[in-house]
């Protein structure tokens, strides 16, 4: 019951902002020991409903980025070949070639935002002052700052601010309207973890899922265990890490609130 309440399939409140996108998706890449693990675990539609998505496999050996073909395949699956307006939130620097991705998918209006989280300080002449529960502040022609209150209670204020860079904005959305969308997505989080709570819903779960999956795939004891216990399955996939990922993916996608696993 606790899991059902905390990780509800439907938002508790409808979005009270202008929402121009059909779906919003978040990508994070967790890198450690020369291995990149990507995650796109949660997709949110324009009605606020969450959907789970984990790609069946992912390309390896590329550094801190995903290939154009991998992103095209992911977005093609998410759009079902229909005309879609997609908000793509990239956790960290957007190394990928999003122009090439958009060219390969003419049916998609692809808006891409790069989110830099956990900033120690951000300067803007327009930074609001006083008691704040959510804030937006313009920064320069391509960047803006937003923050949300990630604590409960009347005395709780904004705890983290994040810098956002406009990588692609074919719809010419204003920075303030995009910030309002990110704030609305952040309010959809269902977590008791302070840092995660301040991030937009899709990228918050991408951040944690990428880290958790990478940590499990690189766990030496776990790898040794599955190699001995599930030798045939490991041989079929060719690697212990791929087998571990396949089990995680099945676990997450087979449960109606499977993205709870990320937290």
């Amino acid at each position: 019951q606790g899991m059902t309440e905390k990780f509800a399939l439907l938002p508790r409140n409808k979005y009270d902002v202008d929402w121009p996108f059909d779906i919003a998706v978040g990508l994070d890449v967790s890198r450690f020991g020369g291995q990149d693990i990507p995650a796109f675990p949660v997709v949110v539609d324009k009605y606020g409903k969450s959907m789970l998505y984990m790609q069946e496999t992912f390309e390896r050996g590329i550094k801190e980025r995903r290939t154009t073909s991998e992103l095209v395949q992911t977005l093609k699956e998410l759009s079902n070949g229909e005309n879609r307006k997609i908000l793509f939130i990239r956790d960290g620097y957007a190394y990928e070639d999003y122009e090439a991705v958009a060219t390969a998918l003419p049916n998609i209006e692809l808006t891409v935002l790069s989110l830099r989280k956990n900033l120690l300080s951000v300067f803007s002449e327009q930074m609001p002052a006083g008691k704040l529960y959510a804030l937006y502040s313009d920064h320069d022609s391509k960047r803006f700052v937003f923050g949300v209150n990630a604590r409960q209670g009347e005395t709780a204020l904004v705890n983290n601010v994040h810098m956002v860079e406009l990588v692609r904005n074919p719809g010419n959305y204003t920075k303030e309207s995009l910030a309002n969308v990110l704030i609305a997505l952040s309010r959809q989080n269902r977590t008791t973890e302070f840092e995660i709570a301040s991030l937009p819903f899709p990228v918050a779960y991408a951040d944690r899922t990428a880290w958790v999956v990478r940590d499990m795939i690189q766990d030496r004891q776990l790898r040794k265990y599955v190699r001995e216990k599930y030798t045939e399955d490991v041989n079929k996939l060719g690697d212990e890490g791929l087998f571990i990922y396949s089990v995680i993916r099945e676990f997450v996608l087979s449960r109606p609130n499977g993205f709870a696993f990320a937290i």
Side-chain angles (χ1 to χ4, degrees):
Q1 179 63 28
M3 292 293 279
T4 302
E5 291 176 356
K6 185 175 179 182
F7 300 98
L9 292 175
L10 295 173
R12 294 172 185 170
N13 300 303
K14 289 183 178 291
Y15 296 129
D16 56 358
V17 300
D18 182 30
W19 186 274
F21 306 104
D22 293 298
I23 60 174
V25 58
L27 164 66
D28 187 32
V29 178
S30 182
R31 181 171 181 79
F32 182 79
Q35 188 174 43
D36 285 353
I37 305 299
F40 313 76
V42 177
V43 182
V44 183
D45 69 13
K46 59 185 176 182
Y47 305 107
K49 187 172 181 179
S50 309
M51 300 172 285
L52 289 168
Y53 173 83
M54 287 183 75
Q55 56 203 124
E56 191 169 348
T57 186
F58 51 87
E59 298 180 37
R60 312 175 86 172
I62 47 179
K63 186 178 180 181
E64 296 180 352
R65 71 190 68 200
R66 308 321 304 158
T67 64
T68 297
S69 60
E70 189 175 7
L71 291 177
V72 168
Q73 181 60 33
T74 297
L75 293 174
K76 190 178 291 185
E77 290 182 30
L78 292 175
S79 65
N80 292 319
E82 300 176 7
N83 293 330
R84 289 284 185 268
K85 293 183 178 181
I86 295 181
L87 174 62
F88 192 104
I89 310 170
R90 174 64 159 95
D91 191 344
Y93 189 80
Y95 291 104
E96 297 81 8
D97 187 347
Y98 290 100
E99 290 301 328
V101 173
T103 300
L105 297 167
N107 61 305
I108 290 177
E109 180 190 284
L110 184 63
T111 302
V112 182
L113 303 179
S114 168
L115 189 149
R116 324 289 169 78
K117 59 182 183 291
N118 305 332
L119 302 177
L120 293 176
S121 62
V122 175
F123 172 77
S124 170
E125 293 180 352
Q126 300 178 19
M127 185 70 78
K131 289 187 175 182
L132 303 169
Y133 297 93
L135 67 83
Y136 156 76
S137 182
D138 196 6
H139 188 76
D140 58 28
S141 62
K142 286 285 187 180
R143 296 179 294 178
F144 64 86
V145 174
F146 82 96
V148 296
N149 162 35
R151 289 181 183 270
Q152 293 183 344
E154 294 181 0
T155 60
L157 304 176
V158 171
N159 62 296
N160 281 332
V161 291
H162 309 297
M163 177 75 78
V164 179
E165 179 182 356
L166 279 65
V167 179
R168 287 196 89 252
N169 185 21
N172 292 318
Y173 303 111
T174 66
K175 285 176 282 184
E176 185 169 9
S177 67
L178 291 171
N180 287 334
V181 168
L182 296 181
I183 289 169
L185 284 170
S186 300
R187 287 172 170 158
Q188 194 172 332
N189 273 317
R190 303 287 181 269
T191 176
T192 55
E193 189 167 346
F194 188 56
E195 193 172 299
I196 291 287
S198 69
L199 293 170
F201 185 65
V203 83
Y205 286 82
D207 175 270
R208 185 41 48 97
T209 301
W211 183 86
V212 170
V213 171
R214 189 209 72 204
D215 200 47
M216 294 182 72
I217 285 177
Q218 295 182 338
D219 188 304
R220 291 184 179 180
Q221 285 185 308
L222 181 58
R223 290 178 69 91
K224 182 175 183 292
Y225 174 81
V226 300
R227 187 166 59 245
E228 295 173 352
K229 186 82 172 177
Y230 304 97
T231 306
E232 188 176 331
D233 295 305
V234 169
N235 290 339
K236 193 179 298 181
L237 290 171
D239 179 78
E240 298 95 330
L242 293 178
F243 172 69
I244 293 168
Y245 176 79
S246 71
V247 174
I248 295 171
R249 180 175 183 272
E250 183 181 357
F251 178 93
V252 170
L253 296 182
S254 64
R255 285 159 174 75
N257 58 352
F259 53 84
F261 176 74
I263 300 298

